Amino acid sequence: MSLEVRQLTVGPIAENCFILRPEGGGKALVLDPGEEAERILAAVEETGAEVEAILITHCHFDHIGAVAPVAKATGAPVYCPELEVPVLADIMSYTMPGFGPFEGYEADETVAGGETLELAGLSLDVVFTPGHSPGHVTYSVRGEEAIFSGDVLFQGSVGRVDLPGGDGPTLLRSIQGLIEAHSPETTVYPGHMGTTTLGAERATNPFLAQLPS
Ligand SMILES: [Fe+2]
């Protein structure tokens, strides 16, 4: 099986929404639909696949702004980090002025880390990766050396830790955990900017220089 990933960069904060499925599969997953629901739905339709679930890494508004309309249009259940369910439900209370409006959504399923989800023909391990936000999770696709890590790790950078619930040492521990559990060749599909690999970031990302080797 090989993994098919389509990246759509959406909204004014240029957030990466991903559509993933086993190559050519009839079912797909939508991860972090942040904004531009119509565009995301059109991209899904182009694949010809049915959306089996919507996955969320964390509930900053730029990652979840289109959850409600995409869920309503597809009927797919939404998997939300347990600690951030109240944010998804009341999104406008957590949205910076000048953005939105967005519609809140009551999560259908919660994830906290430690689960393995069997969805759309994929097995995804859920890894708890707090630090950027308190409930942040990373989805690791079994057998594919691919992680969808939201705002944990970027090409040459890391997620900001100055927002409510953020913590720098916690974020670095989360990144260290991902590095220890995956091969250096593992592709990182991040919430902003381009894809990278864990090995490339370990070797060159200045924010990771202080990690134990
Ligand atoms: Fe974020």
Coordinates of all heavy atoms in Angstrom, one line a residue, residues 27-95:
K27 N -12.1 5.4 0.1 CA -12.3 6.2 1.2 C -11.1 7.1 1.6 O -10.0 6.6 1.3 CB -12.7 5.3 2.4 CG -14.1 4.7 2.1 CD -14.6 3.9 3.3 CE -16.1 3.5 3.0 NZ -16.6 2.5 3.9
A28 N -11.4 8.3 2.1 CA -10.3 9.2 2.4 C -10.5 9.8 3.8 O -11.6 9.8 4.4 CB -10.2 10.3 1.3
L29 N -9.5 10.4 4.3 CA -9.5 11.2 5.5 C -9.2 12.7 5.2 O -8.3 12.9 4.4 CB -8.5 10.7 6.6 CG -8.7 9.2 6.9 CD1 -7.5 8.7 7.8 CD2 -10.0 8.9 7.6
V30 N -9.9 13.6 5.9 CA -9.5 15.0 5.8 C -8.9 15.4 7.2 O -9.5 15.2 8.2 CB -10.8 15.8 5.5 CG1 -10.4 17.3 5.5 CG2 -11.3 15.5 4.1
L31 N -7.7 16.0 7.1 CA -7.1 16.3 8.4 C -6.9 17.9 8.4 O -6.5 18.5 7.5 CB -5.7 15.7 8.4 CG -4.8 15.9 9.6 CD1 -4.4 14.6 10.2 CD2 -3.6 16.8 9.4
D32 N -7.3 18.4 9.5 CA -7.2 19.9 9.8 C -7.8 20.7 8.7 O -7.1 21.5 8.1 CB -5.8 20.3 10.1 CG -5.3 19.8 11.4 OD1 -6.1 19.3 12.2 OD2 -4.1 20.1 11.7
P33 N -9.1 20.6 8.5 CA -9.8 21.5 7.5 C -9.9 22.9 8.1 O -10.9 23.2 8.9 CB -11.1 20.9 7.2 CG -11.4 20.0 8.5 CD -10.1 19.7 9.1
G34 N -9.0 23.8 7.9 CA -8.9 25.1 8.6 C -9.8 26.2 8.1 O -10.2 27.0 8.9
E35 N -10.0 26.2 6.8 CA -10.8 27.2 6.2 C -11.1 26.8 4.7 O -10.5 25.8 4.3 CB -10.1 28.6 6.3 CG -11.1 29.7 6.1 CD -10.6 31.1 6.7 OE1 -9.7 31.1 7.5 OE2 -11.3 32.1 6.3
E36 N -11.9 27.6 4.0 CA -12.1 27.3 2.6 C -12.8 25.9 2.4 O -12.3 25.1 1.6 CB -10.8 27.4 1.8 CG -10.2 28.8 1.8 CD -9.0 28.9 0.9 OE1 -9.2 28.6 -0.3 OE2 -7.9 29.2 1.3
A37 N -13.9 25.7 3.1 CA -14.6 24.4 3.0 C -14.9 24.0 1.6 O -14.8 22.8 1.2 CB -15.8 24.5 3.9
E38 N -15.4 25.0 0.8 CA -15.8 24.6 -0.6 C -14.6 24.1 -1.4 O -14.8 23.1 -2.2 CB -16.3 25.9 -1.3 CG -17.6 26.4 -0.7 CD -18.7 25.3 -0.7 OE1 -18.8 24.6 -1.7 OE2 -19.5 25.3 0.3
R39 N -13.4 24.7 -1.2 CA -12.3 24.2 -1.9 C -11.8 22.8 -1.5 O -11.5 22.0 -2.3 CB -11.1 25.2 -1.7 CG -10.1 25.2 -2.7 CD -9.0 26.3 -2.4 NE -7.7 25.7 -2.6 CZ -6.7 26.0 -1.8 NH1 -6.8 26.9 -0.8 NH2 -5.5 25.4 -2.0
I40 N -11.9 22.6 -0.2 CA -11.6 21.3 0.4 C -12.6 20.2 -0.2 O -12.1 19.1 -0.6 CB -11.6 21.3 1.9 CG1 -10.5 22.2 2.4 CG2 -11.5 19.9 2.5 CD1 -10.6 22.5 3.9
L41 N -13.8 20.6 -0.2 CA -14.8 19.6 -0.6 C -14.7 19.3 -2.1 O -14.8 18.2 -2.6 CB -16.3 20.1 -0.3 CG -16.6 20.1 1.2 CD1 -17.9 20.9 1.4 CD2 -16.8 18.7 1.7
A42 N -14.3 20.4 -2.9 CA -14.1 20.2 -4.3 C -12.9 19.2 -4.5 O -12.9 18.4 -5.4 CB -13.8 21.5 -5.0
A43 N -11.8 19.4 -3.7 CA -10.6 18.6 -3.9 C -11.0 17.1 -3.5 O -10.5 16.2 -4.1 CB -9.5 19.1 -3.0
V44 N -11.8 16.9 -2.5 CA -12.2 15.6 -2.1 C -13.0 15.0 -3.3 O -12.8 13.8 -3.7 CB -13.1 15.6 -0.9 CG1 -13.8 14.3 -0.7 CG2 -12.3 15.9 0.4
E45 N -13.9 15.8 -3.9 CA -14.7 15.2 -4.9 C -13.9 14.8 -6.1 O -14.2 13.8 -6.8 CB -15.8 16.3 -5.4 CG -16.9 15.7 -6.1 CD -18.0 16.7 -6.4 OE1 -18.4 17.5 -5.4 OE2 -18.5 16.8 -7.5
E46 N -12.8 15.6 -6.4 CA -11.9 15.2 -7.5 C -11.3 13.8 -7.3 O -11.0 13.1 -8.3 CB -10.8 16.2 -7.5 CG -10.9 17.2 -8.7 CD -9.8 18.3 -8.5 OE1 -8.6 17.9 -8.4 OE2 -10.2 19.5 -8.5
T47 N -11.1 13.5 -6.0 CA -10.5 12.2 -5.8 C -11.5 11.0 -6.0 O -11.1 9.9 -6.2 CB -10.0 12.0 -4.3 OG1 -11.1 12.0 -3.4 CG2 -9.1 13.1 -3.9
G48 N -12.7 11.4 -6.0 CA -13.8 10.3 -6.1 C -14.0 9.5 -4.9 O -14.8 8.6 -4.8
A49 N -13.3 9.9 -3.8 CA -13.4 9.1 -2.6 C -14.4 9.7 -1.6 O -14.8 10.9 -1.7 CB -12.0 9.1 -1.9
E50 N -14.9 8.8 -0.7 CA -15.9 9.2 0.3 C -15.1 9.6 1.5 O -14.1 8.8 1.9 CB -16.8 8.1 0.5 CG -17.9 8.3 1.5 CD -18.6 7.0 1.8 OE1 -18.8 6.2 0.8 OE2 -19.1 6.8 2.9
V51 N -15.4 10.6 2.2 CA -14.7 11.0 3.5 C -15.2 10.1 4.6 O -16.4 10.1 5.0 CB -14.9 12.5 3.8 CG1 -14.2 12.8 5.1 CG2 -14.4 13.4 2.7
E52 N -14.3 9.3 5.2 CA -14.6 8.4 6.3 C -14.5 9.1 7.6 O -15.3 8.8 8.6 CB -13.8 7.2 6.2 CG -14.1 6.2 7.4 CD -13.9 4.8 7.0 OE1 -14.4 4.3 5.9 OE2 -13.2 4.1 7.8
A53 N -13.6 10.0 7.8 CA -13.5 10.7 9.0 C -12.7 12.0 8.8 O -12.0 12.2 7.8 CB -12.7 9.9 10.0
I54 N -12.9 12.9 9.8 CA -12.2 14.2 9.8 C -11.3 14.2 11.1 O -11.8 13.9 12.1 CB -13.2 15.4 9.8 CG1 -14.0 15.4 8.5 CG2 -12.4 16.7 10.0 CD1 -15.2 16.2 8.6
L55 N -10.0 14.4 10.9 CA -9.1 14.3 12.0 C -8.6 15.7 12.3 O -8.3 16.5 11.4 CB -7.9 13.4 11.7 CG -8.2 12.0 11.2 CD1 -6.9 11.2 10.9 CD2 -9.0 11.2 12.2
I56 N -8.4 16.0 13.6 CA -7.9 17.3 14.1 C -6.6 17.1 14.9 O -6.6 16.2 15.8 CB -9.0 18.0 14.9 CG1 -10.2 18.3 14.1 CG2 -8.4 19.3 15.5 CD1 -11.4 18.8 14.9
T57 N -5.6 17.8 14.6 CA -4.4 17.8 15.4 C -4.5 18.6 16.7 O -4.0 18.2 17.7 CB -3.1 18.2 14.6 OG1 -3.3 19.6 14.2 CG2 -2.9 17.3 13.4
H58 N -5.1 19.8 16.5 CA -5.3 20.7 17.6 C -6.3 21.8 17.2 O -6.5 22.0 16.0 CB -4.0 21.3 18.1 CG -3.3 22.3 17.2 ND1 -2.9 21.9 15.9 CD2 -3.1 23.6 17.3 CE1 -2.4 23.0 15.3 NE2 -2.5 24.1 16.1
C59 N -6.8 22.5 18.2 CA -8.0 23.3 17.9 C -7.7 24.8 17.9 O -8.5 25.6 18.3 CB -9.1 23.0 18.9 SG -9.9 21.4 18.6
H60 N -6.5 25.2 17.3 CA -6.4 26.6 17.0 C -7.3 26.9 15.7 O -7.4 26.0 14.9 CB -4.9 26.9 16.6 CG -4.1 27.0 17.9 ND1 -2.7 26.7 17.9 CD2 -4.4 27.2 19.2 CE1 -2.3 26.9 19.1 NE2 -3.3 27.2 19.9
F61 N -7.9 28.1 15.7 CA -8.9 28.3 14.7 C -8.4 28.2 13.3 O -9.2 27.8 12.4 CB -9.5 29.8 14.9 CG -8.6 30.9 14.6 CD1 -8.5 31.3 13.3 CD2 -7.8 31.5 15.6 CE1 -7.6 32.4 13.0 CE2 -6.9 32.5 15.3 CZ -6.8 32.9 13.9
D62 N -7.2 28.4 13.0 CA -6.7 28.2 11.6 C -6.7 26.8 11.2 O -6.6 26.5 10.0 CB -5.3 28.9 11.4 CG -4.2 28.4 12.4 OD1 -4.5 28.1 13.6 OD2 -3.1 28.2 12.0
H63 N -6.8 25.8 12.1 CA -6.8 24.4 11.8 C -8.2 23.8 11.8 O -8.4 22.7 11.3 CB -6.0 23.6 12.8 CG -4.5 23.8 12.6 ND1 -3.7 22.9 12.1 CD2 -3.8 24.9 12.8 CE1 -2.4 23.4 12.0 NE2 -2.5 24.6 12.5
I64 N -9.2 24.5 12.3 CA -10.5 23.9 12.5 C -11.7 24.8 11.9 O -12.9 24.4 12.1 CB -10.8 23.6 14.0 CG1 -10.8 24.9 14.8 CG2 -9.9 22.5 14.5 CD1 -11.3 24.7 16.3
G65 N -11.4 25.9 11.3 CA -12.4 26.8 10.8 C -13.4 26.2 9.9 O -14.6 26.6 9.8
A66 N -13.0 25.1 9.2 CA -13.9 24.5 8.2 C -14.4 23.1 8.6 O -15.0 22.4 7.9 CB -13.3 24.4 6.8
V67 N -14.2 22.8 9.9 CA -14.6 21.5 10.4 C -16.1 21.3 10.3 O -16.6 20.3 9.7 CB -14.2 21.2 11.9 CG1 -14.9 20.1 12.5 CG2 -12.7 21.0 11.9
A68 N -16.9 22.3 10.8 CA -18.3 22.2 10.8 C -18.9 22.0 9.4 O -19.7 21.1 9.1 CB -19.0 23.3 11.5
P69 N -18.6 22.9 8.4 CA -19.2 22.7 7.1 C -18.7 21.5 6.4 O -19.5 20.9 5.6 CB -18.7 24.0 6.3 CG -17.6 24.6 7.1 CD -17.9 24.2 8.6
V70 N -17.4 21.0 6.6 CA -17.0 19.8 5.9 C -17.7 18.6 6.5 O -18.1 17.7 5.8 CB -15.4 19.7 6.0 CG1 -15.0 18.3 5.5 CG2 -14.8 20.8 5.1
A71 N -17.8 18.6 7.9 CA -18.5 17.5 8.5 C -20.0 17.4 8.1 O -20.5 16.3 7.8 CB -18.4 17.7 10.0
K72 N -20.6 18.6 8.0 CA -22.0 18.6 7.6 C -22.2 18.1 6.1 O -23.1 17.3 5.8 CB -22.6 20.0 7.7 CG -23.0 20.3 9.2 CD -23.6 21.6 9.3 CE -23.8 21.9 10.8 NZ -24.0 23.3 11.1
A73 N -21.3 18.5 5.2 CA -21.4 18.2 3.8 C -21.1 16.7 3.6 O -21.7 16.1 2.7 CB -20.5 19.0 3.0
T74 N -20.2 16.1 4.4 CA -19.8 14.7 4.1 C -20.5 13.7 5.1 O -20.4 12.5 4.8 CB -18.3 14.6 4.3 OG1 -17.9 15.0 5.7 CG2 -17.5 15.5 3.4
G75 N -21.0 14.2 6.2 CA -21.5 13.3 7.2 C -20.5 12.5 8.0 O -20.8 11.6 8.7
A76 N -19.2 12.9 7.8 CA -18.1 12.1 8.4 C -17.9 12.6 9.9 O -18.1 13.7 10.2 CB -16.8 12.4 7.7
P77 N -17.6 11.6 10.7 CA -17.4 11.9 12.1 C -16.1 12.7 12.3 O -15.1 12.5 11.6 CB -17.3 10.5 12.8 CG -16.9 9.6 11.8 CD -17.4 10.1 10.5
V78 N -16.1 13.5 13.3 CA -14.9 14.4 13.6 C -14.2 13.9 14.9 O -14.8 13.7 15.9 CB -15.3 15.8 13.9 CG1 -14.2 16.7 14.3 CG2 -16.0 16.4 12.6
Y79 N -12.9 13.6 14.7 CA -12.0 13.1 15.8 C -11.2 14.3 16.3 O -10.5 14.9 15.6 CB -11.0 12.1 15.3 CG -11.7 10.7 15.0 CD1 -12.6 10.6 13.9 CD2 -11.5 9.6 15.8 CE1 -13.2 9.4 13.7 CE2 -12.1 8.4 15.5 CZ -12.9 8.3 14.5 OH -13.5 7.1 14.2
C80 N -11.5 14.6 17.6 CA -10.9 15.9 18.2 C -10.1 15.5 19.4 O -10.5 14.7 20.2 CB -12.1 16.8 18.6 SG -11.6 18.3 19.3
P81 N -8.9 16.2 19.6 CA -8.2 16.0 20.9 C -9.1 16.3 22.1 O -9.7 17.3 22.1 CB -7.0 17.0 20.8 CG -6.9 17.3 19.3 CD -8.3 17.2 18.7
E82 N -9.1 15.3 23.0 CA -10.0 15.4 24.1 C -10.0 16.7 24.9 O -11.0 17.3 25.2 CB -9.6 14.2 25.1 CG -10.6 13.9 26.1 CD -10.3 12.6 26.8 OE1 -9.1 12.2 26.9 OE2 -11.2 11.9 27.2
L83 N -8.7 17.2 25.1 CA -8.6 18.4 26.0 C -9.1 19.6 25.2 O -9.3 20.7 25.9 CB -7.1 18.6 26.4 CG -6.5 17.6 27.3 CD1 -5.0 17.9 27.5 CD2 -7.2 17.7 28.7
E84 N -9.3 19.6 23.9 CA -9.6 20.8 23.2 C -11.1 20.7 22.6 O -11.4 21.6 21.8 CB -8.6 21.0 22.1 CG -7.2 21.1 22.7 CD -6.0 21.4 21.8 OE1 -6.3 21.7 20.6 OE2 -4.9 21.4 22.2
V85 N -11.8 19.8 23.1 CA -13.2 19.7 22.6 C -14.0 21.0 22.9 O -14.8 21.4 22.0 CB -13.9 18.4 23.3 CG1 -15.4 18.5 23.2 CG2 -13.4 17.1 22.7
P86 N -13.8 21.6 24.0 CA -14.6 22.8 24.3 C -14.2 24.0 23.3 O -15.0 24.8 23.0 CB -14.2 23.2 25.7 CG -13.6 22.0 26.3 CD -13.0 21.2 25.2
V87 N -13.0 23.9 22.8 CA -12.6 25.0 21.8 C -13.3 24.8 20.5 O -13.8 25.7 19.9 CB -11.0 24.9 21.6 CG1 -10.6 26.1 20.7 CG2 -10.3 25.1 23.0
L88 N -13.3 23.5 20.1 CA -14.0 23.2 18.8 C -15.5 23.6 18.9 O -16.1 24.1 18.0 CB -13.9 21.7 18.5 CG -14.6 21.2 17.2 CD1 -13.9 21.9 16.0 CD2 -14.5 19.7 17.1
A89 N -16.1 23.4 20.1 CA -17.5 23.6 20.3 C -17.8 25.1 20.3 O -18.9 25.5 19.9 CB -18.0 23.0 21.6
D90 N -16.9 25.9 20.7 CA -17.1 27.3 20.9 C -16.0 28.2 20.2 O -15.4 29.0 20.8 CB -17.2 27.6 22.4 CG -17.6 29.1 22.7 OD1 -18.2 29.7 21.9 OD2 -17.2 29.5 23.8
I91 N -15.8 27.8 19.0 CA -14.6 28.3 18.3 C -14.5 29.8 18.3 O -13.4 30.4 18.4 CB -14.6 27.7 16.8 CG1 -13.4 28.2 16.0 CG2 -15.8 28.0 16.1 CD1 -13.2 27.5 14.7
M92 N -15.6 30.6 18.2 CA -15.4 32.0 18.0 C -14.9 32.7 19.3 O -14.3 33.7 19.3 CB -16.8 32.7 17.6 CG -17.1 32.4 16.1 SD -15.7 32.8 15.0 CE -15.6 34.6 15.1
S93 N -15.1 32.0 20.5 CA -14.5 32.5 21.7 C -13.0 32.4 21.7 O -12.3 33.0 22.6 CB -15.1 31.8 22.9 OG -16.5 32.0 23.0
Y94 N -12.5 31.6 20.8 CA -11.0 31.4 20.8 C -10.4 31.9 19.5 O -9.2 31.6 19.2 CB -10.7 29.9 20.9 CG -11.2 29.3 22.2 CD1 -12.5 28.8 22.3 CD2 -10.4 29.3 23.3 CE1 -13.0 28.3 23.5 CE2 -10.8 28.8 24.5 CZ -12.1 28.3 24.6 OH -12.6 27.7 25.8
T95 N -11.2 32.7 18.7 CA -10.7 33.2 17.4 C -10.2 34.6 17.5 O -10.9 35.4 18.1 CB -11.8 33.0 16.3 OG1 -12.1 31.6 16.2 CG2 -11.3 33.6 15.0

